[in-house]
């Protein structure tokens, strides 16, 4: 099949007309539907006094009205999809000759499927449809796709790519090989937005294999900075929602995000892909919810600041203790403590209350023999329910709720304590007696407990009380996997019994100790872990990528050859001079770029620079209270910038004094890999040795 420019312009025009016609038809249907709903509501209120006394007609009419409202909402959502298609109907076309056929057929691929009128065959195929895999996975020549009926073989005779914006064909070309570098180059060369963008037109083969993977229960993706990990994860969820409609919906998919800024950054991508937004939560939000009635705790960001600002001598001692509380040995101690609690947490004695009489020996037998798998601090409640069930059977009636509550309280009073914080302190005291310093006094003190104790205490609560309601989640995504500790992964294993997509980059951690993440995960989550790697980086220019790779001696990451300016170093006499030079450079860039970031090592440095720069330009400071990612100039410590990208990045004070430890090397790498097009580094005194100048 030929594809001349004239034919392609004609095809686009015809497709747009079909879409417009469908939108017009939907507008008429929606108007009629609205009139119908208004009429049904009017009838309902006029006739309500005449409905039958049992309420059947009342219920039936309400259900009918709600059903019509739901149908109208679905129609409106579909219309919105078609309105988006009108601006860019498709981005690719594959001409495929089915095995045994004489003529090839053209399949146009877009962000969503579109079928005109009563036709059975789509005019545009959704990028997630089985036949679309031909575009992503094969070059011109023999190919196959997995149709519902099975493997379908044939030959790709042509592959085309398009750029259509606002309904106009900007360009198209035939491409025999993989998704062409020219289109990818154009996309990567555009400016960043304050939202993560879809990559459906430029998904690479190695990315597509992850997106369409349905066979592995736990998929761990190690990806270099800028390899598209988060985009791949979100497109993967869109793909799974499309193919598993009967068993998966947006309400039972959750993503664990590092902070609210990142959540805001990725919030638009699923709606743009035609799916509803999924549940988002940070582990700290979960901890706050679960510990709100138990204790206040130091925030993660205060903890980060402490690690970044403490004197080296004091920090070394603290790090040793913090590392221990994230170790396998510490995890084993928690399990051992819970096991030992079974023998001393209950004072077994007889229970007698309003027709219920159970001896202490009987309770002990049930505690250890009948309910051994029930969490320790829920076990007596389970025994109470069992005993009350026997009483109800004997009395042949349901037990009065007040009587049941009294009996349950009697059973639970057998615990010497159910206070999680008290038990955690007992645990730390037991370790102290073994000669292990765990800062038990810091937990005992009034006020928030140290951050390093938050998740151990939460894990203890989880083991003692059980995992709660997270069984409703049917797919879990974990981003920035390298920032989670062993204890947190042990919690994840207990909380979520579902398929998972876990992604991150072991190099993008500010703590060198966390770089063993790939060795840790299979040990914690079991044998069903499949590890895949994305080694090619697309975000930064070749010059910025090469410099960043040199910071950590990275020889494995492949850099996409999009060239631009080399990183620029600016020597400054003092802080004020640095602020002046930074402001001058940013002023020029704001004429060109949408997003510019000033990245600092600490929040303290970010606040100081914000004070210096905010009088000269409009800018936003990222701190612990920030929940949105706006366009413009951002001033942020490095840990809020993780996972984000900016057109231009200015890294503050890369001096030897400020960046000198192994952790600082990783921090500098994180900061530099946020940049797409330009990277500026400023220093006073002597430049950090990591910069290699």
């Amino acid at each position: 099949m030929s594809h001349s420019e004239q034919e392609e312009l004609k095809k686009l025009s015809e497709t747009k007309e079909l879409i417009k016609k469908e939108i017009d038809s939907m507008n008429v249907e929606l108007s009629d539907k609205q009139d119908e709903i208004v009429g049904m509501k009017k009838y309902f209120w006029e006739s309500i006094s005449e409905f039958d006394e049992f309420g059947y007609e009342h219920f039936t009419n309400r259900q009918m009205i709600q059903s019509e409202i739901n149908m109208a909402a679905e129609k409106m959502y579909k219309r919105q999809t078609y309105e988006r298609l009108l601006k860019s109907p498709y981005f690719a076309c594959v001409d495929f000759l089915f095995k045994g056929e004489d003529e090839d057929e053209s399949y146009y691929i877009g962000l969503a499927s579109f079928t005109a009128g009563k036709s059975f065959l789509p005019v545009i195929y959704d990028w997630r449809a089985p036949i679309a895999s031909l575009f992503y996975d094969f070059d011109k020549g023999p190919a196959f796709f997995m149709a519902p009926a099975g493997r379908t073989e044939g030959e790709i005779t042509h592959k085309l790519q398009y750029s259509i914006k606002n309904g106009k064909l900007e360009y198209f070309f035939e491409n025999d090989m993989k998704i062409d570098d020219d289109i990818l180059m154009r996309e990567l060369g555009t400016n960043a937005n304050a939202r993560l963008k879809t990559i459906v037109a430029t998904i690479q083969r190695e990315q597509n294999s992850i997106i369409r993977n349905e066979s592995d229960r736990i998929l761990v993706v190690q990806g270099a900075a800028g390899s598209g990990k988060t985009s791949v994860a979100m497109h993967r969820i869109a793909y799974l929602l499309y193919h598993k409609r009967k068993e998966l919906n947006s309400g039972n998919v959750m993503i664990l995000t590092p902070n609210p800024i990142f959540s805001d950054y990725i919030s638009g991508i699923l709606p743009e892909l035609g799916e509803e937004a999924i549940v988002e939560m940070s582990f700290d939000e979960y901890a706050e919810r679960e510990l709100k009635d138990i204790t206040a705790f130091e925030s993660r960001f205060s903890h980060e600041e402490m690690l970044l600002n403490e004197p080296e001598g004091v920090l070394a001692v603290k790090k040793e203790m913090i590392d221990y509380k994230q170790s396998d040995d510490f995890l084993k101690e928690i399990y051992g403590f819970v096991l030992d609690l079974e023998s001393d947490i209950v004072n077994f004695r007889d229970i007698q209350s309003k027709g219920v009489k159970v001896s202490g020996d009987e309770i002990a037998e049930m505690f250890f023999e009948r309910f051994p798998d029930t969490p320790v601090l829920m076990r007596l409640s389970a025994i109470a329910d069992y005993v009350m069930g026997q009483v109800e059977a004997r009395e042949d009636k349901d037990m009065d709720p007040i009587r049941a509550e009294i009996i349950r309280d009697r059973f639970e009073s057998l615990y010497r304590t159910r206070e999680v914080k008290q038990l955690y302190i007992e645990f730390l005291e037991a370790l102290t007696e073994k000669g292990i310093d765990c800062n038990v006094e810091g937990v005992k003190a009034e006020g928030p407990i140290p951050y390093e104790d938050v998740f151990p205490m939460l894990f203890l609560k989880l083991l003692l009380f059980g995992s709660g309601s997270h069984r409703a989640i049917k797919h879990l995504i974990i981003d920035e996997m390298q920032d989670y500790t062993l204890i947190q992964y042990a919690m994840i294993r207990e909380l979520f019994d579902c398929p998972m997509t876990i992604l991150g980059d072991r190099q993008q951690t500010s703590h060198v100790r966390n770089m063993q993440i790939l060795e840790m995960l299979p040990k914690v989550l079991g044998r069903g872990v499949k590890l895949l790697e994305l080694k090619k980086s697309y975000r930064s220019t070749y010059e910025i990528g090469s410099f960043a790779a040199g910071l950590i001696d990275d020889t494995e990451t492949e850099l996409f050859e999009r060239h631009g300016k080399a990183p620029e170093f600016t020597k400054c006499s003092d802080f004020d001079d640095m602020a002046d030079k930074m402001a001058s450079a940013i002023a020029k860039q704001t004429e060109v770029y949408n997003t510019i970031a000033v990245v600092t090592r600490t929040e303290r440095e970010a606040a100081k620079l914000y004070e210096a720069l905010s009088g000269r330009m409009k800018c936003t400071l990222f701190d612990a209270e920030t929940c949105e990612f706006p366009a413009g100039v951002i001033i942020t410590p490095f840990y809020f910038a993780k996972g984000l990208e900016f057109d231009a990045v200015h890294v503050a004070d890369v001096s030897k004094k400020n960046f000198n430890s192994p952790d600082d090397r990783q921090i500098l790498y994180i900061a530099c890999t946020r940049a797409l097009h330009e990277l500026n580094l400023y220093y006073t005194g002597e430049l950090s040795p990591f910069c290699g100048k």
Side-chain angles (χ1 to χ4, degrees), residues 566-681:
E568 187 173 309
F569 291 84
T570 302
K571 186 176 175 73
C572 309
S573 57
D574 55 25
F575 174 82
D576 290 336
D577 186 39
M578 180 173 69
D580 286 339
K581 288 175 177 174
M582 195 177 282
S584 177
I586 291 172
K588 295 175 184 176
Q589 291 175 341
T590 52
E591 298 175 7
V592 182
Y593 297 134
N594 296 330
T595 59
I596 299 169
V598 176
V599 182
T600 64
R601 183 174 173 273
T602 68
E603 188 176 33
R604 187 185 302 172
E605 294 170 12
K608 188 177 179 182
L609 266 173
Y610 176 72
E611 186 178 349
L613 296 176
S614 58
R616 314 181 197 198
M617 65 183 73
K618 184 180 179 181
C619 55
T620 303
L621 175 65
F622 278 1
D623 59 22
E625 304 302 316
T626 308
C627 295
E628 295 182 352
F629 179 11
V633 180
I634 304 298
I635 302 173
T636 176
F638 77 93
Y639 46 78
F640 285 125
K642 293 184 72 173
L644 309 180
E645 60 184 32
F646 305 86
D647 292 317
V649 168
H650 298 258
V651 187
D653 199 11
V654 292
S655 63
K656 183 178 181 180
K657 182 180 178 181
N658 215 26
F659 288 89
N660 53 64
S661 72
D663 284 353
D664 291 334
R665 181 192 292 269
Q666 300 304 130
I667 291 170
L668 188 55
Y669 175 74
I670 293 167
C672 292
T673 52
R674 302 307 92 207
L676 277 79
H677 311 304
E678 290 191 42
L679 176 62
N680 300 75
L681 303 101

Side-chain angles (χ1 to χ4, degrees), residues 262-370:
F262 184 84
S263 296
D264 183 57
Y265 178 58
I266 65 171
S267 62
I269 192 165
L270 280 174
E272 193 176 340
L273 291 169
E275 301 293 344
E276 293 180 9
I278 59 175
V279 181
E280 297 171 2
M281 182 180 71
S282 73
F283 229 146
D284 285 11
E285 288 172 328
Y286 173 73
E288 190 172 340
R289 188 183 74 194
E290 293 295 314
L291 295 177
K292 65 181 178 181
D293 297 326
I294 298 171
T295 184
F297 58 85
E298 176 191 27
S299 74
R300 175 185 172 187
F301 306 114
S302 296
H303 178 73
E304 284 283 356
E305 285 294 304
M306 178 274 292
L307 292 176
L308 293 166
N309 290 301
E310 282 278 19
E312 191 57 43
V314 176
L315 186 59
V317 176
K318 285 190 175 181
K319 276 187 174 180
E320 185 176 350
M321 184 192 63
I322 292 168
D323 286 352
Y324 176 68
K325 288 183 179 179
Q326 298 177 7
S327 70
D328 189 46
D329 288 342
F330 188 71
L331 185 62
K332 289 175 182 175
E333 292 284 0
I334 294 178
Y335 281 120
F337 177 75
V338 171
L339 194 62
D340 291 342
L341 267 184
E342 290 192 7
S343 60
D344 80 341
I345 194 70
V346 180
N347 298 313
F348 294 106
R349 62 178 182 273
D350 297 351
I351 293 288
Q352 188 169 348
S353 175
K354 296 184 180 181
V356 175
K357 185 175 181 180
V358 189
S359 71
D361 288 342
E362 287 177 298
I363 296 171
E365 187 277 331
M366 286 188 280
F367 189 87
F368 292 109
E369 302 296 333
R370 187 180 291 273

Side-chain angles (χ1 to χ4, degrees), residues 111 172-173 178 318 439 520 582 620 622-623 662:
L111 202 60
F172 82 98
F173 56 85
K178 65 183 178 66
K318 285 190 175 181
N439 187 28
M520 180 216 298
M582 195 177 282
T620 303
F622 278 1
D623 59 22

Side-chain angles (χ1 to χ4, degrees), residues 58 122 210 259 389 476 478 485 523 567:
H58 183 280
I210 294 169
N259 55 61
L476 179 70
I478 303 171
T485 66
K523 294 177 183 177

